[in-house]
Amino acid sequence: MRPVYIVGAGMTRFGRSDFSLVDLAGTAGLAALHHAALSKVPVDAVVVANMGGSRINRQTALGSALVDRLALYPAAAEAVENGPASGASAAKIGFQAIGSGMADVVLVVGVEMMRAVDGLEGTDFVASLSHPEVEYIYGVTLPSLAGLFTRLYMDRYGVERKHLAMVAIKNHEHAMHNPYAHIHQPITMEGILTSPEAVVNNPPVADPLCLFDCCPVSDGAAAVVLASKEIADRLGGARVRIAGIGQATDTHAVHEREDPTELRAVRLASQKAFAMAEAKPGDVDVVELHDAFTILEIAESEAAGFFKRGEARKAIERGETRFGGHLPINVSGGLKARGHPVGATGVAQLVELVWQLRGEATGRQVEKAKVAYACNFGGFGNNVIATVLRKEER
Amino acid sequence: MTEAVYAAKCTTCGAVSYAKHLICPKCRGEAFQPVAIKGEGTVLSYTDVYALAIDYDVRFLRLAIVELDGGLRVTGQLLDADPKLGKRVRTTVGVVRETGGKATHGLQFMPA
């Protein structure tokens, strides 16, 4: 396997977009090519990550459409759909293409326009990833799977609503320093949990999860340019290598898991990624987790190996996962506040980490960051991709 | 009620699964027989979900994962005004979704 580098990263501001799906993807792709100073170098392949275009935007074959929008012919092109883990899947395919020697430069773009439809249709579209015969028929939606998981996790591991609120407050605070974030709104413990108005401000969505435990519904696109060592050597700037990628799957129906509170696919994918990177969780300086719901930041940080089970809430209480803490998690704002255009998220995580490792995350730069980790969580934990990035000095 | 909801029992190892597999996740066997899901169990977890899918004209749905006596775990709708973790419930079959006038039958849980 040849080493693979991320030589450029870019994204659109997440939120609500008036662009078309292809323009949104193209804007992020162009930003990443400019960042890489590669807009004049031939791109061998384009991989687009998208979950719902065929249903909610009535657009298919996004790889071909993006090649045309950016005039990258005759580059190879495809779109991949792997639920909310589509973004990291697309990056993995690019990684494999360069690692195998089939390509030298690959543009990976994640894109989603979820606000093209109303909330009900949007929720139902995401719910269609649940088990069709034993979950979806009951009215299961992603928030309900998260609510079921949260109640059990709280009961077993001493997580309280205040810990969930701490995650939300932290990620909203982080997003204040990220100009690309969907939500720029500081929130307080009083406002969302402890004051009499909190029940109005923060109504239940899938109890015990409330509004501020859930990511917003976002439009957005994010892109990275992957390149072989030969190409990376020709470019200036700090060099970021994809040191490891791991992927694992689990049962489709959550009730079939031996321990439904164990995110086994997160644990296995992370172990694989760390093994490939010849690194361990203790080496990591900056982390992006898939906090579509606040509980997931807590549970993933344990399953990935950063904390023992039941210990993450203590680290949160001590402020260790805040910017400036010993293990900053979701400095970008995470899915909670940067937003969650599902197909774009896995790529946006990599964009943030590339900026962090290159020292370009103005206003939220984690000092001396050298090793970074991302968890892109598909389904409700039934398809997970972990990625470890490493900064290489020239 | 004539409708029933079935789990699949592996004829090789006897493992019962409420989710169709063509290969048994426990023993790799490939032959199954349907077994009607019935009886009592305990609530493993539940949630009141307000973020609803299409087809539901209600304020919220109360969903649960129940562990049936014998060990089979199932997802379904909880018809209990006073839900608690570990509470005993019995399974029934009812209409759990109606799409364009077409009813889908599934598991519902009542206090035992």
Side-chain angles (χ1 to χ4, degrees):
Chain A
M1 195 86 159
R2 304 193 300 165
V4 180
Y5 295 84
I6 302 182
V7 297
M11 61 187 283
T12 67
R13 187 181 168 188
F14 284 3
R16 188 184 172 85
S17 174
D18 296 323
F19 282 20
S20 72
L21 193 62
V22 179
D23 266 334
L24 201 57
T27 302
L30 190 56
L33 289 169
H34 281 153
H35 188 230
L38 271 179
S39 55
K40 305 285 186 278
V41 170
V43 170
D44 299 315
V46 171
V47 190
V48 176
N50 175 257
M51 179 175 169
S54 62
R55 171 166 168 179
I56 59 178
N57 314 108
R58 292 176 177 267
Q59 168 120 34
T60 56
L62 280 170
S64 324
L66 183 63
V67 160
D68 184 69
R69 195 58 54 108
L70 294 174
L72 297 174
Y73 351 88
E78 46 253 308
V80 301
E81 192 274 294
N82 186 24
S86 297
S89 271
K92 185 195 76 176
I93 290 164
F95 173 81
Q96 290 169 329
I98 293 172
S100 69
M102 278 190 76
D104 287 311
V105 178
V106 178
L107 175 65
V108 175
V109 180
V111 64
E112 205 75 59
M113 285 198 67
M114 306 180 69
R115 301 185 66 115
V117 293
D118 64 27
L120 196 64
E121 172 67 15
T123 300
D124 195 76
F125 138 65
V126 182
S128 67
L129 65 73
S130 66
H131 196 294
E133 294 142 9
V134 302
E135 289 181 334
Y136 181 79
I137 62 158
Y138 292 107
V140 161
T141 55
L142 266 285
S144 64
L145 292 176
L148 290 164
F149 179 86
T150 304
R151 176 161 271 119
L152 199 52
Y153 213 89
M154 290 171 84
D155 184 61
R156 289 199 184 162
Y157 300 109
V159 173
E160 298 168 39
R161 284 213 40 218
K162 72 172 182 189
H163 298 110
L164 304 178
M166 285 175 184
V167 171
I169 293 164
K170 167 181 74 70
N171 291 351
H172 274 240
E173 168 57 28
H174 286 167
M176 294 298 290
H177 307 280
N178 182 358
Y180 295 91
H182 182 167
I183 311 279
H184 288 142
Q185 176 195 17
I187 52 175
T188 62
M189 193 61 84
E190 293 73 29
I192 66 169
L193 190 64
T194 58
S195 73
E197 296 77 41
V199 286
V200 180
N201 296 339
N202 195 17
V205 169
D207 84 310
L209 294 174
C210 296
L211 183 65
F212 283 95
D213 291 304
C214 306
C215 63
V217 177
S218 315
D219 300 335
V224 289
V225 181
L226 311 186
S228 62
K229 184 165 187 298
E230 217 169 50
I231 301 280
D233 281 345
R234 302 210 312 247
L235 300 168
R239 215 162 57 182
V240 174
R241 187 162 65 88
I242 299 180
I245 296 181
Q247 182 170 11
T249 48
D250 202 348
T251 67
H252 196 176
V254 173
H255 68 236
E256 285 226 283
R257 297 180 193 163
E258 206 166 315
D259 175 358
T261 63
E262 203 215 343
L263 300 179
R264 187 170 60 173
V266 174
R267 174 166 61 79
L268 296 176
S270 300
Q271 286 171 354
K272 284 184 195 172
F274 281 121
M276 188 189 287
E278 298 179 340
K280 52 188 189 302
D283 299 332
V284 174
D285 302 303
V286 56
V287 174
E288 286 281 305
L289 296 180
H290 194 109
D291 58 327
F293 305 97
T294 48
I295 188 69
L296 287 180
E297 179 170 313
I298 293 172
E300 288 167 11
S301 69
E302 294 172 358
F306 297 111
F307 305 109
K308 291 192 179 114
R309 275 239 252 179
E311 299 284 316
R313 65 183 166 86
K314 297 175 191 165
I316 290 164
E317 283 174 4
R318 292 191 293 263
E320 284 177 27
T321 59
R322 284 206 306 256
F323 179 75
H326 144 82
L327 186 73
I329 296 179
N330 287 330
V331 172
S332 63
L335 281 61
K336 178 71 203 78
R338 178 184 51 210
H340 184 27
V342 283
T345 283
V347 184
Q349 292 177 321
L350 300 180
V351 168
E352 175 68 16
L353 295 178
V354 167
W355 287 340
Q356 289 288 347
L357 295 178
R358 288 170 63 125
E360 297 168 0
T362 312
R364 60 184 190 287
Q365 179 63 48
V366 174
E367 292 304 318
K368 294 179 183 157
K370 286 192 172 54
V371 180
Y373 166 94
C375 174
N376 193 192
F377 184 89
F380 195 79
N382 64 343
N383 197 328
V384 175
I385 299 172
T387 306
V388 176
L389 303 182
R390 193 189 282 278
K391 178 182 181 175
E392 282 187 0
E393 304 299 339
R394 280 174 188 274
Chain B
M1 184 69 65
T2 54
E3 301 285 342
V5 174
Y6 295 94
K9 182 174 185 176
C10 172
T11 57
T12 311
C13 76
V16 184
S17 180
Y18 183 49
K20 184 177 177 176
H21 303 284
L22 299 178
I23 296 178
C24 174
K26 294 260 159 48
C27 76
R28 317 299 299 164
E30 295 179 15
F32 301 88
Q33 64 186 46
V35 285
I37 296 172
K38 56 187 180 196
E40 295 187 3
T42 57
V43 173
L44 184 73
S45 191
Y46 66 92
T47 184
D48 290 344
V49 58
Y50 296 78
L52 297 167
I54 52 175
D55 302 332
Y56 292 96
D57 188 19
V58 291
R59 208 169 128 256
F60 69 89
L61 267 180
R62 182 163 288 163
L63 301 175
I65 296 177
V66 165
E67 193 161 293
L68 297 171
D69 299 345
L72 177 65
R73 275 207 224 105
V74 294
T75 299
Q77 294 177 351
L78 182 56
L79 309 180
D80 181 356
D82 182 29
K84 281 188 181 64
L85 292 183
K87 189 166 169 176
R88 295 288 297 172
V89 290
R90 64 184 170 84
T91 60
T92 61
V93 174
V95 175
V96 293
R97 192 166 194 142
E98 282 188 85
T99 309
K102 186 179 163 287
T104 301
H105 286 80
L107 297 171
Q108 295 178 324
F109 313 113
M110 318 270 204

